[in-house]
Amino acid sequence: MRIRPAQPEDLPSLAGSLGQAGYFADRLDRQLDDRGILLTAWHAGVVIGAVYLWLEPAEEREIRTHLPGTPLVTHLEVHPDHQGRGAGTSLLHASEWLLACKGYREVALAVEVGNERAERLYTRLGFREWPHSQVKCYSSAEGNGHRIVETCKVLVKPLPG
């Protein structure tokens, strides 16, 4: 498996493997403006996963207030045929390494209440729930432009200095 930042020419591969062409086009545009980083995982020349590192101020007021300037791991996704084989863990490790190299001291993410599989992964990798309340988070826009509001736990992890 190879992990690298996405390039504009990766959009057809991302959409073909993971769907959501509009979402990935938006994240590639944000990456070009240095507002985030879209990391991709590849196996045998095919995209098998992706994660977006949100470097802009958080959309959620509570996260902006309690974690100003903290990057967010968002939209970690692994193709169903490759789940449970370490791709998600590898994407998270690559994210942490990249953010630490850029001088960030911590990283955060929001996990939907009830998504126990994802929460177990994040906890196993050292993320801990913050001491504040749960947050209403906004999912990425669907094809119809509507956004889903999810109740989430916010998890934070210190990065190596």
Side-chain angles (χ1 to χ4, degrees), residues 10 61-62 75 86 89 91 113 126 132 134 139:
D10 295 334
R61 180 187 48 78
E62 300 91 341
H75 201 85
T89 299
L91 281 163
V113 170
H132 310 288
Q134 295 175 351
S139 71

Side-chain angles (χ1 to χ4, degrees), residues 43-120:
H43 177 73
V46 176
V47 175
I48 62 167
V51 65
Y52 183 72
L53 307 178
W54 185 278
L55 304 179
E56 301 176 69
E59 293 181 295
E60 300 79 10
R61 180 187 48 78
E62 300 91 341
I63 297 174
R64 281 194 315 271
T65 299
H66 297 294
L67 296 171
T70 298
L72 302 172
V73 170
T74 67
H75 201 85
L76 174 63
E77 180 178 6
V78 176
H79 189 279
D81 292 346
H82 295 274
Q83 291 178 356
R85 299 182 188 171
T89 299
S90 295
L91 281 163
L92 285 170
H93 285 314
S95 298
E96 293 167 12
W97 178 83
L98 182 61
L99 292 170
C101 288
K102 290 184 168 292
Y104 291 102
R105 298 206 176 268
E106 65 184 354
V107 63
L109 56 82
V111 60
E112 186 176 10
V113 170
N115 188 347
E116 295 173 8
R117 183 176 182 191
E119 189 174 347
R120 276 194 308 272

Side-chain angles (χ1 to χ4, degrees), residues 60 63 72-76 108-123 127-130 133-137 150-156:
E60 300 79 10
I63 297 174
L72 302 172
V73 170
T74 67
H75 201 85
L76 174 63
L109 56 82
V111 60
E112 186 176 10
V113 170
N115 188 347
E116 295 173 8
R117 183 176 182 191
E119 189 174 347
R120 276 194 308 272
L121 170 65
Y122 302 140
T123 300
F127 285 85
R128 298 294 177 255
E129 190 170 353
W130 74 350
S133 62
Q134 295 175 351
V135 174
K136 299 286 184 191
C137 294
E150 304 168 335
T151 300
C152 295
K153 295 179 182 180
V154 177
L155 308 177
V156 183

